[in-house]
Amino acid sequence: MSADNKLSPKELEFVLHWGEMGSRWGINRTVAQIHALLFIQEQPISADAICEFLGIARSNSSNSIKELERLGLAKRSHILNDRKDYFETTGDVWELLKIIARERIEQELKPTEVMLTNLLQDPDFKNEREVFQKRAKDSVDLLHSLIGIGDHLLGFSTTGLKRLFKTSSGLMKFILGARKEDKA
């Protein structure tokens, strides 16, 4: 990154893509772009620098930073003898995975599991069509399993997650290889 707060073409491509992916996941594009910018920085940067890098208004930057802080994807820091707030994110992609997964579980999976559980426990639900009852039950069972797995995985350290994924990958290759042989 150059000293004049300009992104290289590859950095810009990365930041723009991250913003596009964020919008596909339901995250505001600017929020995702700021996160990408923080991710590729070696040092924390000020809100003014963020505005300059991305060509955005200060109010947009402030609101987006607050959202990143709320999500646990950015933190505020200070530099000695400087009154400005500086912002950074973790550079550990495994930690980012855990933060994002935790947020998705809490904001999407758990509320849906609760809604479906309440639906299934409602005595009037027994009057609904059988296919609806079965699919609601299957859905809550799946969500319960996903939440359990997610909660368990979030307890792993980065090193533990890396080992688990590497082992799982090898196991999947072994299983899928065996399945291909069964078909032959």
Side-chain angles (χ1 to χ4, degrees):
M1 186 134 342
S2 62
D4 60 357
N5 290 353
K6 293 207 187 305
L7 297 169
S8 75
K10 293 298 182 190
E11 290 170 332
L12 180 60
E13 180 181 355
F14 176 81
V15 168
L16 292 175
H17 179 75
W18 200 277
E20 286 300 315
M21 292 310 299
S23 68
R24 291 178 188 175
W25 298 331
I27 303 294
N28 175 287
R29 179 175 292 137
T30 303
V31 171
Q33 288 176 346
I34 290 172
H35 183 253
L37 178 65
L38 296 176
F39 182 72
I40 62 174
Q41 298 297 309
E42 289 184 56
Q43 302 293 324
I45 59 174
S46 70
D48 292 335
I50 290 169
C51 293
E52 192 174 327
F53 274 119
L54 300 178
I56 59 175
R58 185 70 164 87
S59 60
N60 193 359
S61 172
S62 292
N63 291 331
S64 297
I65 291 167
K66 285 178 188 172
E67 178 67 7
L68 286 169
E69 288 177 310
R70 185 192 70 73
L71 294 169
L73 291 170
K75 69 178 183 176
R76 199 175 294 255
S77 61
H78 297 95
I79 295 175
L80 189 62
N81 297 321
D82 189 339
R83 296 179 63 178
K84 291 182 191 173
D85 288 330
Y86 289 80
F87 303 92
E88 61 187 321
T89 192
T90 181
D92 181 345
V93 293
W94 292 93
E95 188 60 32
L96 286 177
L97 171 70
K98 288 170 62 173
I99 293 167
I100 292 166
R102 185 176 301 115
E103 183 68 16
R104 302 304 277 217
I105 289 168
E106 293 298 323
Q107 297 301 316
E108 297 169 22
L109 299 183
K110 286 185 178 180
T112 304
E113 179 194 33
V114 168
M115 184 280 300
L116 287 169
T117 299
N118 291 339
L119 186 70
L120 292 170
Q121 291 173 351
D122 185 329
D124 293 334
F125 190 64
K126 291 179 181 149
N127 299 327
E128 295 294 331
R129 291 180 301 125
E130 192 174 307
V131 68
F132 180 27
Q133 291 181 50
K134 180 182 181 336
R135 291 182 181 168
K137 169 89 171 75
D138 290 348
S139 297
V140 80
D141 289 345
L142 174 63
L143 286 169
H144 183 72
S145 295
L146 289 172
I147 291 166
I149 290 168
D151 287 344
H152 186 71
L153 290 175
L154 292 174
F156 279 82
S157 67
T158 294
T159 303
L161 271 178
K162 285 179 183 179
R163 278 192 210 132
L164 178 66
F165 276 61
K166 185 176 182 180
T167 302
S168 298
S169 177
L171 181 60
M172 290 303 294
K173 286 178 186 174
F174 174 76
I175 291 169
L176 292 175
R179 291 178 68 193
K180 288 177 185 174
E181 290 171 7
D182 290 342
K183 290 181 181 179

